């Protein structure tokens, strides 16, 4: 089970985050300050730390730096509203993402899942294809100055097809890679997603087309190559 | 009650009295300074003439009698002390014996010039024997002293009466005119005062009928404008309160209802969870409502931006998008944004509320698998921001009403929301001197265009 340490001097927030993460199936360790958190990190195998910025004695940035250098696990910062400078500082100290208080429980969960996913799949994170930059680290697609945020399955499907252009991928392969072996839906799900990606791509670029290979699967083609 | 009438009257009378006194003092002083010596000299010439004529008269007594009836008051004394008055009678017949002796001895008497100066008595009118000029002459070998002053009463009594009439008529006319003028001033003020009473009783359709171009007319115009505005505000306040109470009441009723349902022991876990979810949603709605009401109140109080700071709008938009990314994911939304760098002067927190409202609207009223496009163009003097969604859209009628407080296109109020969001957005943008416009087509989507000046 994935273990998360939550560090905040505010007991109420600590409990709230604890409940939300536990409900989502994570194992949660609570720490009221930086030193407690470090004690837990030393004695337990922890996968991720959620750290509040404003804490007495040791602030969140300092703690993040120590966690990143000594334990090499992802860190999500909890910051107060509108502190954009703080966010830059947070990223400089090495945090992987941030959530602005007050936050919706689902937002925190979304961040936790995204960061953990990123750590699961290291390496080859950025694919550049026909003017599109597909960043598998932050799940963003860049087209010129425009940033595209796709629903996760669609993003994964596109990045998988784009990782090997012109190569046919079977529907079974795509399902296994993206939805997992336990997926209970049928091939139509893939078709629906492909259709949507096509519609969306059409607005962005004419150079990329996803072609259906009848009876087999799909292939991403780049014009002029 | 002290009325303006009595006040005007008193002030007018005071002014008349005061100016009379001042005028008198001034002219009296002028008389003493300048006119008195001249008058003395003039009369001296006359008496010298009379005296020299008298010396050659056959009948001194009748000559002087004649002079007396010609408008001179005369007093004759001979060396033996016998005296006689001719012409109009002196009011005060005091004359020290030494003066008579002096004149008999050959000196002239300049009683007019040397007449004692008194503040409130004009020497000119003093009907006194001392206020004369005197000289001596010889008649039939005997020495006489003659004193004289013009008979003012005889010479000027008609003028006196005329002057008196003029003064009386002037006084009466002045007072009447002042009362009329006061009435013209007081009447509109009375009207205003009555109107304010009505306004106090929350009657806002008083319109003053005062057609004047002066300050009072101006005041009346302002007053009319004010009551009209107050009336509008009052209507707004009333509908606001009824809306607020409705919007507080309905979630409360829902919570009560579902809480009662939960008391039932035979519920399945699933049902229970459903009811709990309703209660959770409703409390969230109320919490949002109270937050937004607070924002609106503070916006109302501010009215104008007090402090303007440099706001990085691009960073704010990115931040807002970052915050709601989980919702895009949950609703399978396809979001693209193309933001140029832009900084403008404004209120950071308020602008943040604008982006948050516009974005959550675009999410809330979207269809599953829909899309949202956000763009920012940095122009010369302004920043143009667009939120385009592929949502349910609105009819033209709805578009006209969306910036009204508590208006919700969704009459059934099934989608969460308070109906205050766009009203806040509108107000904030207005305070920044910007504009917001909407383009929408039903079942196709909605676009909001925000234009904000950089300064």
């Amino acid at each position: 089970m994935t273990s998360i340490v939550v560090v905040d001097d505010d007991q109420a927030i600590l409990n709230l985050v604890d409940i939300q993460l536990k409900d989502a199936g994570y194992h949660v360790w609570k720490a009221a300050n930086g030193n407690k958190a470090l004690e837990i990190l030393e004695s337990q195998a922890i996968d991720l730390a959620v750290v509040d910025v404003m804490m007495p004695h040791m602030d969140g940035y300092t703690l993040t730096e120590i966690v990143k250098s000594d334990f090499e696990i992802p860190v999500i910062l909890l910051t107060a509203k509108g502190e954009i400078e703080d966010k830059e500082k947070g990223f400089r100290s090495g945090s992987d993402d941030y959530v602005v208080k007050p936050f919706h429980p689902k937002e925190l969960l979304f961040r936790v899942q995204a960061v953990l996913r990123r750590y699961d799949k290291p390496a080859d994170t950025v694919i550049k294809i026909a003017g599109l930059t597909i960043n598998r680290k932050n799940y963003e697609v860049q087209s010129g100055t425009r940033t595209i945020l796709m629903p996760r399955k669609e993003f994964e499907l596109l990045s998988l097809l784009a990782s090997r252009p012109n190569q046919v991928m079977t529907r079974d392969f795509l399902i296994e890679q993206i939805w997992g072996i336990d997926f209970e839906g049928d091939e139509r799900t893939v078709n629906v997603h492909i259709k949507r990606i096509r519609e969306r791509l059409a607005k962005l670029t004419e150079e990329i087309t996803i072609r259906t290979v009848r009876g087999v699967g799909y292939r991403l083609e780049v014009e002029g190559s | 009650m002290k009325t303006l009438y009595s006040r005007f009257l008193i002030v007018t009378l005071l002014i008349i009295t005061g100016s009379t006194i001042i005028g008198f003092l001034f002219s009296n002083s002028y008389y003493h300074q300048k006119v008195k010596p001249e008058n003395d000299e003039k009369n001296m010439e006359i008496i010298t003439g009379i005296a020299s004529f008298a010396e050659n008269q056959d009948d001194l007594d009748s000559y002087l009698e004649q002079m007396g009836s010609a408008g001179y008051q005369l007093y004759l004394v001979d060396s033996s002390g016998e005296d006689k008055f001719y012409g109009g009678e002196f009011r005060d017949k005091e004359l020290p014996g030494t003066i008579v002796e002096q004149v008999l001895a050959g000196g002239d008497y300049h009683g007019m010039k040397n007449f004692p100066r008194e503040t409130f008595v004009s020497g000119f009118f003093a009907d006194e024997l001392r206020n004369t000029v005197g000289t001596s002459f010889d008649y039939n070998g005997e020495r006489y002293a003659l004193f004289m002053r013009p008979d003012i009463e005889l010479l000027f009594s008609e003028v006196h009466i005329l002057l008196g009439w003029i003064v009386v008529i002037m006084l009466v006319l002045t007072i009447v005119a002042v009362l009329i003028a006061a009435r013209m001033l007081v009447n509109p003020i009375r009207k205003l005062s009555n109107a304010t009473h009505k306004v106090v009783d929350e009657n806002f359709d008083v319109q003053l009928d005062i057609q004047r171009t002066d300050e009072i007319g101006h005041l009346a115009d302002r007053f009319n404008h004010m009551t009209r505005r107050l009336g509008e505000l009052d209507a707004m306040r009333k509908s606001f309160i009824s809306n607020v109470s409705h919007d507080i009441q309905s979630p409360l009723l829902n919570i009560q209802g579902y809480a009662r349902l939960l008391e039932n022991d035979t519920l399945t876990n699933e049902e229970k969870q459903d009811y709990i979810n309703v209660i959770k949603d409703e409390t969230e709605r109320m919490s949002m409502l109270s937050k937004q009401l607070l924002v609106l109140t503070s916006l109302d109080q501010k009215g104008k931006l007090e402090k303007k700071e440099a706001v990085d709008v691009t960073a704010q938009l990115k931040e807002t998008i970052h915050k709601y990314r989980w919702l895009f994911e949950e609703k399978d939304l396809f979001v693209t944004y193309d933001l140029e760098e832009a900084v403008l002067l404004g209120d950071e927190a308020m602008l943040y509320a604008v982006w948050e409202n516009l974005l959550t609207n675009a999410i809330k009223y979207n269809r599953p698998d829909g899309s949202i496009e956000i763009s920012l163009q940095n122009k010369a003097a302004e920043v143009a921001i667009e939120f385009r969604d592929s949502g349910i859209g609105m009819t033209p009628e709805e578009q006209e009403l969306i910036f009204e407080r508590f208006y919700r296109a969704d009459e059934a109020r099934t989608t969460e929301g308070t109906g205050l969001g766009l009203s806040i957005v509108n107000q904030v943008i207005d305070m920044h001197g910007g504009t917001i416009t909407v383009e929408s087509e039903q079942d196709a989507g909605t676009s909001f265009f925000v234009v904000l000046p950089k300064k």
Side-chain angles (χ1 to χ4, degrees), chain B residues 109-129:
Chain B
Y109 173 57
H110 291 277
M112 284 188 175
K113 188 156 101 186
N114 299 323
F115 191 73
R117 179 179 184 157
E118 280 175 61
T119 316
F120 290 105
V121 178
S122 172
F124 185 75
F125 293 104
D127 187 12
E128 292 174 26
L129 188 48

PDB file of all heavy atoms in Angstrom, chain B residues 109-129:
ATOM      1  N   TYR B 109     -19.289 136.939  16.473  1.00  0.00           N
ATOM      2  CA  TYR B 109     -19.526 135.683  17.196  1.00  0.00           C
ATOM      3  C   TYR B 109     -19.731 134.548  16.179  1.00  0.00           C
ATOM      4  O   TYR B 109     -20.603 134.609  15.312  1.00  0.00           O
ATOM      5  CB  TYR B 109     -20.763 135.815  18.089  1.00  0.00           C
ATOM      6  CG  TYR B 109     -21.182 134.529  18.739  1.00  0.00           C
ATOM      7  CD1 TYR B 109     -20.285 133.811  19.555  1.00  0.00           C
ATOM      8  CD2 TYR B 109     -22.452 134.009  18.547  1.00  0.00           C
ATOM      9  CE1 TYR B 109     -20.668 132.633  20.137  1.00  0.00           C
ATOM     10  CE2 TYR B 109     -22.842 132.814  19.142  1.00  0.00           C
ATOM     11  CZ  TYR B 109     -21.942 132.136  19.937  1.00  0.00           C
ATOM     12  OH  TYR B 109     -22.314 130.945  20.526  1.00  0.00           O
ATOM     13  N   HIS B 110     -18.836 133.534  16.287  1.00  0.00           N
ATOM     14  CA  HIS B 110     -18.946 132.383  15.366  1.00  0.00           C
ATOM     15  C   HIS B 110     -19.501 131.179  16.111  1.00  0.00           C
ATOM     16  O   HIS B 110     -18.837 130.180  16.314  1.00  0.00           O
ATOM     17  CB  HIS B 110     -17.572 132.037  14.773  1.00  0.00           C
ATOM     18  CG  HIS B 110     -17.076 133.096  13.837  1.00  0.00           C
ATOM     19  ND1 HIS B 110     -17.467 133.163  12.530  1.00  0.00           N
ATOM     20  CD2 HIS B 110     -16.241 134.150  14.036  1.00  0.00           C
ATOM     21  CE1 HIS B 110     -16.874 134.210  11.943  1.00  0.00           C
ATOM     22  NE2 HIS B 110     -16.123 134.853  12.855  1.00  0.00           N
ATOM     23  N   GLY B 111     -20.741 131.332  16.546  1.00  0.00           N
ATOM     24  CA  GLY B 111     -21.361 130.249  17.330  1.00  0.00           C
ATOM     25  C   GLY B 111     -21.582 128.983  16.520  1.00  0.00           C
ATOM     26  O   GLY B 111     -21.549 127.872  17.050  1.00  0.00           O
ATOM     27  N   MET B 112     -21.813 129.135  15.238  1.00  0.00           N
ATOM     28  CA  MET B 112     -22.049 127.945  14.412  1.00  0.00           C
ATOM     29  C   MET B 112     -20.789 127.113  14.280  1.00  0.00           C
ATOM     30  O   MET B 112     -20.812 125.893  14.429  1.00  0.00           O
ATOM     31  CB  MET B 112     -22.548 128.362  13.026  1.00  0.00           C
ATOM     32  CG  MET B 112     -24.000 128.797  13.050  1.00  0.00           C
ATOM     33  SD  MET B 112     -24.591 129.058  11.377  1.00  0.00           S
ATOM     34  CE  MET B 112     -26.305 129.402  11.681  1.00  0.00           C
ATOM     35  N   LYS B 113     -19.700 127.765  13.992  1.00  0.00           N
ATOM     36  CA  LYS B 113     -18.438 127.058  13.801  1.00  0.00           C
ATOM     37  C   LYS B 113     -17.995 126.374  15.086  1.00  0.00           C
ATOM     38  O   LYS B 113     -17.496 125.243  15.068  1.00  0.00           O
ATOM     39  CB  LYS B 113     -17.373 128.052  13.335  1.00  0.00           C
ATOM     40  CG  LYS B 113     -16.075 127.390  12.912  1.00  0.00           C
ATOM     41  CD  LYS B 113     -15.312 128.251  11.959  1.00  0.00           C
ATOM     42  CE  LYS B 113     -14.187 128.970  12.674  1.00  0.00           C
ATOM     43  NZ  LYS B 113     -13.511 129.937  11.774  1.00  0.00           N
ATOM     44  N   ASN B 114     -18.239 127.107  16.205  1.00  0.00           N
ATOM     45  CA  ASN B 114     -17.743 126.589  17.481  1.00  0.00           C
ATOM     46  C   ASN B 114     -18.790 125.786  18.243  1.00  0.00           C
ATOM     47  O   ASN B 114     -18.569 125.426  19.386  1.00  0.00           O
ATOM     48  CB  ASN B 114     -17.240 127.742  18.347  1.00  0.00           C
ATOM     49  CG  ASN B 114     -16.093 128.465  17.679  1.00  0.00           C
ATOM     50  OD1 ASN B 114     -15.263 127.847  17.023  1.00  0.00           O
ATOM     51  ND2 ASN B 114     -16.080 129.791  17.785  1.00  0.00           N
ATOM     52  N   PHE B 115     -19.935 125.586  17.573  1.00  0.00           N
ATOM     53  CA  PHE B 115     -20.986 124.818  18.255  1.00  0.00           C
ATOM     54  C   PHE B 115     -20.446 123.434  18.643  1.00  0.00           C
ATOM     55  O   PHE B 115     -19.849 122.755  17.817  1.00  0.00           O
ATOM     56  CB  PHE B 115     -22.203 124.666  17.324  1.00  0.00           C
ATOM     57  CG  PHE B 115     -23.402 124.128  18.037  1.00  0.00           C
ATOM     58  CD1 PHE B 115     -24.101 124.954  18.929  1.00  0.00           C
ATOM     59  CD2 PHE B 115     -23.832 122.832  17.846  1.00  0.00           C
ATOM     60  CE1 PHE B 115     -25.212 124.464  19.577  1.00  0.00           C
ATOM     61  CE2 PHE B 115     -24.942 122.350  18.514  1.00  0.00           C
ATOM     62  CZ  PHE B 115     -25.641 123.166  19.385  1.00  0.00           C
ATOM     63  N   PRO B 116     -20.611 123.066  19.934  1.00  0.00           N
ATOM     64  CA  PRO B 116     -19.964 121.816  20.390  1.00  0.00           C
ATOM     65  C   PRO B 116     -20.425 120.606  19.548  1.00  0.00           C
ATOM     66  O   PRO B 116     -21.570 120.517  19.143  1.00  0.00           O
ATOM     67  CB  PRO B 116     -20.419 121.680  21.838  1.00  0.00           C
ATOM     68  CG  PRO B 116     -21.559 122.609  21.991  1.00  0.00           C
ATOM     69  CD  PRO B 116     -21.369 123.719  21.003  1.00  0.00           C
ATOM     70  N   ARG B 117     -19.473 119.782  19.354  1.00  0.00           N
ATOM     71  CA  ARG B 117     -19.714 118.622  18.510  1.00  0.00           C
ATOM     72  C   ARG B 117     -20.299 117.493  19.333  1.00  0.00           C
ATOM     73  O   ARG B 117     -19.755 117.089  20.333  1.00  0.00           O
ATOM     74  CB  ARG B 117     -18.349 118.186  17.965  1.00  0.00           C
ATOM     75  CG  ARG B 117     -18.433 116.992  17.112  1.00  0.00           C
ATOM     76  CD  ARG B 117     -17.051 116.693  16.632  1.00  0.00           C
ATOM     77  NE  ARG B 117     -17.169 115.585  15.724  1.00  0.00           N
ATOM     78  CZ  ARG B 117     -16.302 115.334  14.808  1.00  0.00           C
ATOM     79  NH1 ARG B 117     -15.248 116.103  14.671  1.00  0.00           N
ATOM     80  NH2 ARG B 117     -16.462 114.314  14.021  1.00  0.00           N
ATOM     81  N   GLU B 118     -21.441 117.011  18.915  1.00  0.00           N
ATOM     82  CA  GLU B 118     -22.042 115.880  19.635  1.00  0.00           C
ATOM     83  C   GLU B 118     -22.347 114.786  18.628  1.00  0.00           C
ATOM     84  O   GLU B 118     -22.743 115.054  17.504  1.00  0.00           O
ATOM     85  CB  GLU B 118     -23.330 116.318  20.332  1.00  0.00           C
ATOM     86  CG  GLU B 118     -23.066 117.051  21.635  1.00  0.00           C
ATOM     87  CD  GLU B 118     -24.356 117.580  22.230  1.00  0.00           C
ATOM     88  OE1 GLU B 118     -25.248 116.756  22.534  1.00  0.00           O
ATOM     89  OE2 GLU B 118     -24.474 118.805  22.362  1.00  0.00           O
ATOM     90  N   THR B 119     -22.154 113.586  19.117  1.00  0.00           N
ATOM     91  CA  THR B 119     -22.237 112.466  18.192  1.00  0.00           C
ATOM     92  C   THR B 119     -23.622 112.325  17.570  1.00  0.00           C
ATOM     93  O   THR B 119     -23.756 112.120  16.380  1.00  0.00           O
ATOM     94  CB  THR B 119     -21.886 111.173  18.923  1.00  0.00           C
ATOM     95  OG1 THR B 119     -20.752 111.428  19.731  1.00  0.00           O
ATOM     96  CG2 THR B 119     -21.551 110.068  17.938  1.00  0.00           C
ATOM     97  N   PHE B 120     -24.645 112.412  18.428  1.00  0.00           N
ATOM     98  CA  PHE B 120     -25.978 112.084  17.904  1.00  0.00           C
ATOM     99  C   PHE B 120     -26.837 113.311  17.612  1.00  0.00           C
ATOM    100  O   PHE B 120     -28.017 113.197  17.357  1.00  0.00           O
ATOM    101  CB  PHE B 120     -26.704 111.145  18.876  1.00  0.00           C
ATOM    102  CG  PHE B 120     -26.088 109.793  18.880  1.00  0.00           C
ATOM    103  CD1 PHE B 120     -25.291 109.376  19.935  1.00  0.00           C
ATOM    104  CD2 PHE B 120     -26.277 108.947  17.784  1.00  0.00           C
ATOM    105  CE1 PHE B 120     -24.705 108.134  19.919  1.00  0.00           C
ATOM    106  CE2 PHE B 120     -25.685 107.706  17.782  1.00  0.00           C
ATOM    107  CZ  PHE B 120     -24.889 107.293  18.846  1.00  0.00           C
ATOM    108  N   VAL B 121     -26.260 114.469  17.696  1.00  0.00           N
ATOM    109  CA  VAL B 121     -27.044 115.664  17.385  1.00  0.00           C
ATOM    110  C   VAL B 121     -26.377 116.384  16.224  1.00  0.00           C
ATOM    111  O   VAL B 121     -25.205 116.713  16.278  1.00  0.00           O
ATOM    112  CB  VAL B 121     -27.114 116.616  18.603  1.00  0.00           C
ATOM    113  CG1 VAL B 121     -27.891 117.864  18.236  1.00  0.00           C
ATOM    114  CG2 VAL B 121     -27.750 115.905  19.771  1.00  0.00           C
ATOM    115  N   SER B 122     -27.150 116.574  15.196  1.00  0.00           N
ATOM    116  CA  SER B 122     -26.586 117.296  14.077  1.00  0.00           C
ATOM    117  C   SER B 122     -26.627 118.782  14.413  1.00  0.00           C
ATOM    118  O   SER B 122     -27.685 119.343  14.684  1.00  0.00           O
ATOM    119  CB  SER B 122     -27.405 117.025  12.811  1.00  0.00           C
ATOM    120  OG  SER B 122     -26.967 117.863  11.796  1.00  0.00           O
ATOM    121  N   GLY B 123     -25.480 119.404  14.400  1.00  0.00           N
ATOM    122  CA  GLY B 123     -25.383 120.822  14.730  1.00  0.00           C
ATOM    123  C   GLY B 123     -26.217 121.679  13.793  1.00  0.00           C
ATOM    124  O   GLY B 123     -26.749 122.704  14.180  1.00  0.00           O
ATOM    125  N   PHE B 124     -26.393 121.170  12.593  1.00  0.00           N
ATOM    126  CA  PHE B 124     -27.111 121.927  11.575  1.00  0.00           C
ATOM    127  C   PHE B 124     -28.534 122.240  12.003  1.00  0.00           C
ATOM    128  O   PHE B 124     -29.054 123.318  11.778  1.00  0.00           O
ATOM    129  CB  PHE B 124     -27.109 121.109  10.280  1.00  0.00           C
ATOM    130  CG  PHE B 124     -27.707 121.834   9.124  1.00  0.00           C
ATOM    131  CD1 PHE B 124     -26.979 122.861   8.490  1.00  0.00           C
ATOM    132  CD2 PHE B 124     -28.968 121.529   8.654  1.00  0.00           C
ATOM    133  CE1 PHE B 124     -27.533 123.519   7.414  1.00  0.00           C
ATOM    134  CE2 PHE B 124     -29.510 122.204   7.576  1.00  0.00           C
ATOM    135  CZ  PHE B 124     -28.796 123.203   6.952  1.00  0.00           C
ATOM    136  N   PHE B 125     -29.159 121.251  12.674  1.00  0.00           N
ATOM    137  CA  PHE B 125     -30.563 121.415  13.028  1.00  0.00           C
ATOM    138  C   PHE B 125     -30.756 121.966  14.434  1.00  0.00           C
ATOM    139  O   PHE B 125     -31.889 122.180  14.831  1.00  0.00           O
ATOM    140  CB  PHE B 125     -31.294 120.071  12.898  1.00  0.00           C
ATOM    141  CG  PHE B 125     -31.392 119.589  11.477  1.00  0.00           C
ATOM    142  CD1 PHE B 125     -30.589 118.575  10.994  1.00  0.00           C
ATOM    143  CD2 PHE B 125     -32.298 120.200  10.607  1.00  0.00           C
ATOM    144  CE1 PHE B 125     -30.685 118.160   9.695  1.00  0.00           C
ATOM    145  CE2 PHE B 125     -32.391 119.780   9.302  1.00  0.00           C
ATOM    146  CZ  PHE B 125     -31.586 118.757   8.833  1.00  0.00           C
ATOM    147  N   ALA B 126     -29.679 122.137  15.198  1.00  0.00           N
ATOM    148  CA  ALA B 126     -29.824 122.557  16.594  1.00  0.00           C
ATOM    149  C   ALA B 126     -30.425 123.965  16.658  1.00  0.00           C
ATOM    150  O   ALA B 126     -29.780 124.942  16.292  1.00  0.00           O
ATOM    151  CB  ALA B 126     -28.476 122.496  17.295  1.00  0.00           C
ATOM    152  N   ASP B 127     -31.662 124.011  17.121  1.00  0.00           N
ATOM    153  CA  ASP B 127     -32.391 125.287  17.153  1.00  0.00           C
ATOM    154  C   ASP B 127     -32.064 126.000  18.464  1.00  0.00           C
ATOM    155  O   ASP B 127     -32.903 126.146  19.336  1.00  0.00           O
ATOM    156  CB  ASP B 127     -33.887 124.974  17.012  1.00  0.00           C
ATOM    157  CG  ASP B 127     -34.698 126.238  16.857  1.00  0.00           C
ATOM    158  OD1 ASP B 127     -34.090 127.305  16.634  1.00  0.00           O
ATOM    159  OD2 ASP B 127     -35.927 126.134  16.973  1.00  0.00           O
ATOM    160  N   GLU B 128     -30.824 126.435  18.606  1.00  0.00           N
ATOM    161  CA  GLU B 128     -30.383 127.035  19.872  1.00  0.00           C
ATOM    162  C   GLU B 128     -29.806 128.416  19.596  1.00  0.00           C
ATOM    163  O   GLU B 128     -29.223 128.662  18.538  1.00  0.00           O
ATOM    164  CB  GLU B 128     -29.315 126.164  20.526  1.00  0.00           C
ATOM    165  CG  GLU B 128     -29.871 124.831  20.997  1.00  0.00           C
ATOM    166  CD  GLU B 128     -28.764 123.903  21.513  1.00  0.00           C
ATOM    167  OE1 GLU B 128     -27.734 124.428  21.951  1.00  0.00           O
ATOM    168  OE2 GLU B 128     -28.961 122.666  21.422  1.00  0.00           O
ATOM    169  N   LEU B 129     -29.916 129.254  20.587  1.00  0.00           N
ATOM    170  CA  LEU B 129     -29.411 130.624  20.442  1.00  0.00           C
ATOM    171  C   LEU B 129     -27.892 130.626  20.319  1.00  0.00           C
ATOM    172  O   LEU B 129     -27.290 131.483  19.675  1.00  0.00           O
ATOM    173  CB  LEU B 129     -29.856 131.464  21.652  1.00  0.00           C
ATOM    174  CG  LEU B 129     -29.591 132.964  21.581  1.00  0.00           C
ATOM    175  CD1 LEU B 129     -30.034 133.560  20.255  1.00  0.00           C
ATOM    176  CD2 LEU B 129     -30.249 133.700  22.745  1.00  0.00           C
TER     177      LEU B 129
END
